[in-house]
Amino acid sequence: MRLRRLLLVVLLVGGFWYVTAHLPEGISGKTGLNLANTTGSRSPLALTEAQAAPAFDSEEQNNIAVYKKGLPSVVNITSKLVAYNFFYGQVPSGEGQGSGFVLDRAGHVLTNFHVIADANRIEVKTSDKRTYKATIVGSDKVHDLALLQINAPNLQPVTLADSSDLVVGQKVYAIGNPFGLNGTMTRGIISSIRTVRGPEGGPIEDAIQTDAAINPGNSGGPLLNSRGEVIGINTLIATGGAEQSSGIGFAIPINTAKAVLGDLTRYGRVRRPSLGIVSLAIGPDVAEQMGLPSQSGVLVQKVVSGGAAERAGLRGGNEQAYLGNLAIMVGGDMIVAIDGKEIVDTSDIASIMEKHQPGDQVNVTYYRGRRKMVARLTLGDAREVNT
């Protein structure tokens, strides 16, 4: 019996020695893994791992710094249109999403007008995932801007830059909530500085064109420079019919926003200057047909009663005529320049008005018949849609 037990022990020890001495390294406890290939032979799989955390290059470090600085100030805005059914119960009838950014610790938030247009309930979600009810302080449909306010603690305001010295080619970053994906950052360059038509049809002077990816949901979010300062408000994209970025996005320059924020907080609206006229742009063909003294300019159809033009002595048309199927008034003055800058159409007047405030004085050059005249005009306050 003892001999049998001794032989069993010897067999176990010998078997263990054989297994540990002849099996591949990966099974015997040494480094490496062994995988069988299709022919049945085995080859080691060696994995190379970093010995330390990755080192970011200078460009990556700047990207990360911009994101860390800008993200806490960016908010997600949900606008809801609520209707009431027959029993006066609330029925959600529409919802939109956009972005915005915190201006101060008092809770003022800047976004696009079209993000909150027609909404009767607006919610703002901050970067810490908390949601607050927002009220509209003021809005400017022409510039596509809206100022909201929330009551929230520990807000981190953005830093506003000067957008007057931007150059094509400089790096820009967009942070927002495209397609509801919170906290998304994209990067690109300034592609151009140009005048474009905003979502509400008004001109955006010195709009920042960029190839940074801007998609639905980015509207109202900040466009940042490489120091993480806000240079613009992302507002629209050229898509060619597709509801996504095509590499052509536009932002309202932050200097435009600065110019209207004071009025929004003080009056709840923008006090925009006006000539106090209803006008019609005239091109060379029409000017020749009508026998006008200039090939291009703006024909005064009507002067607004008590407005700037009427006070300065300008005259509107006194005889009805037709331009195709369009009824117009002829016989009025034809404006060709303001402060020495040529006026070709109404967008030229709008561009000049952008640089002025109500109460400013301008020199208006116009024709009355064949006589060229100049009037000193004090700009009025445009409450209604007129030039």
Side-chain angles (χ1 to χ4, degrees):
M1 181 64 71
R2 291 181 179 178
L3 180 60
R4 187 177 298 174
R5 289 179 179 176
L6 180 61
L7 288 174
L8 182 59
V9 170
V10 171
L11 286 173
L12 289 173
V13 172
F16 179 78
W17 172 84
Y18 181 86
V19 169
T20 57
H22 292 83
L23 284 182
E25 291 181 348
I27 305 300
S28 62
K30 298 180 182 180
T31 58
L33 296 173
N34 288 282
L35 302 176
N37 61 22
T38 55
T39 62
S41 63
R42 298 178 182 275
S43 59
L45 173 62
L47 301 179
T48 304
E49 298 185 18
Q51 299 301 312
F56 301 112
D57 63 28
S58 59
E59 187 172 11
E60 290 173 323
Q61 290 174 5
N62 187 238
N63 294 343
I64 294 169
V66 170
Y67 186 70
K68 286 183 176 180
K69 181 177 181 179
L71 181 63
S73 305
V74 179
V75 300
N76 183 22
I77 298 175
T78 303
S79 58
K80 299 180 179 180
L81 182 60
V82 179
Y84 292 87
N85 62 18
F86 181 77
F87 298 101
Y88 296 96
Q90 291 188 358
V91 180
S93 60
E95 181 174 297
Q97 282 199 336
S99 304
F101 51 92
V102 178
L103 292 173
D104 59 17
R105 297 189 184 279
H108 289 103
V109 173
L110 187 63
T111 187
N112 285 142
F113 171 80
H114 74 263
V115 170
I116 55 92
D118 301 323
N120 49 24
R121 188 164 68 195
I122 303 171
E123 293 179 346
V124 171
K125 180 183 289 185
T126 53
S127 61
D128 60 2
K129 310 302 181 185
R130 296 179 181 274
T131 301
Y132 302 92
K133 181 181 178 181
T135 57
I136 300 175
V137 175
S139 62
D140 181 9
K141 185 176 180 179
V142 172
H143 291 107
D144 194 28
L145 294 172
L147 184 65
L148 312 179
Q149 187 162 24
I150 59 175
N151 183 14
N154 305 319
L155 294 174
Q156 182 170 323
V158 296
T159 301
L160 304 182
D162 180 0
S163 60
S164 64
D165 57 355
L166 300 177
V167 295
V168 173
Q170 75 177 84
K171 292 179 184 177
V172 291
Y173 303 81
I175 300 181
N177 307 291
F179 301 110
L181 301 172
N182 296 354
T184 298
M185 183 174 82
T186 55
R187 189 187 71 167
I189 62 170
I190 293 178
S191 305
S192 181
I193 305 291
R194 66 175 77 247
T195 298
V196 297
R197 289 283 176 185
E200 301 297 329
I204 301 176
E205 299 295 326
D206 300 322
I208 307 166
Q209 180 182 330
T210 178
D211 64 351
I214 297 175
N215 286 290
N218 274 115
S219 290
L223 188 69
L224 309 163
N225 60 19
S226 57
R227 296 182 296 277
E229 302 163 340
V230 179
I231 60 172
I233 303 101
N234 300 317
T235 188
L236 60 93
I237 54 177
T239 63
E243 290 298 322
Q244 60 187 22
S245 174
S246 61
I248 302 178
F250 296 94
I252 301 168
I254 196 61
N255 282 9
T256 297
K258 290 178 184 178
V260 303
L261 282 173
D263 283 351
L264 288 179
T265 55
R266 192 174 300 114
Y267 308 109
R269 67 178 183 87
V270 176
R271 298 181 67 239
R272 189 172 297 108
S274 170
L275 294 177
I277 63 173
V278 176
S279 59
L280 175 70
I282 298 295
D285 292 341
V286 176
E288 184 177 353
Q289 293 175 19
M290 296 176 64
L292 297 174
S294 175
Q295 288 191 335
S296 60
V298 168
L299 190 65
V300 179
Q301 300 285 285
K302 176 185 177 182
V303 293
V304 177
S305 178
E310 185 184 64
R311 293 195 303 268
L314 271 68
R315 298 176 184 173
N318 53 16
E319 183 180 348
Q320 184 171 331
Y322 285 89
L323 188 59
N325 293 325
L326 177 66
I328 64 173
M329 297 299 293
V330 297
D333 297 331
M334 184 177 185
I335 297 174
V336 293
I338 297 177
D339 283 342
K341 296 180 180 178
E342 183 182 16
I343 300 299
V344 176
D345 55 35
T346 54
S347 65
D348 294 329
I349 296 179
S351 297
I352 293 174
M353 293 300 102
E354 285 288 323
K355 299 174 175 61
H356 288 281
Q357 295 291 327
D360 291 352
Q361 291 190 329
V362 294
N363 291 319
V364 178
T365 303
Y366 62 97
Y367 280 98
R368 178 168 292 167
R370 292 282 171 177
R371 183 183 176 190
K372 195 172 187 178
M373 306 173 69
V374 178
R376 186 72 170 168
L377 184 149
T378 301
L379 297 173
D381 188 347
R383 286 183 172 269
E384 303 297 335
V385 179
N386 55 63
T387 303

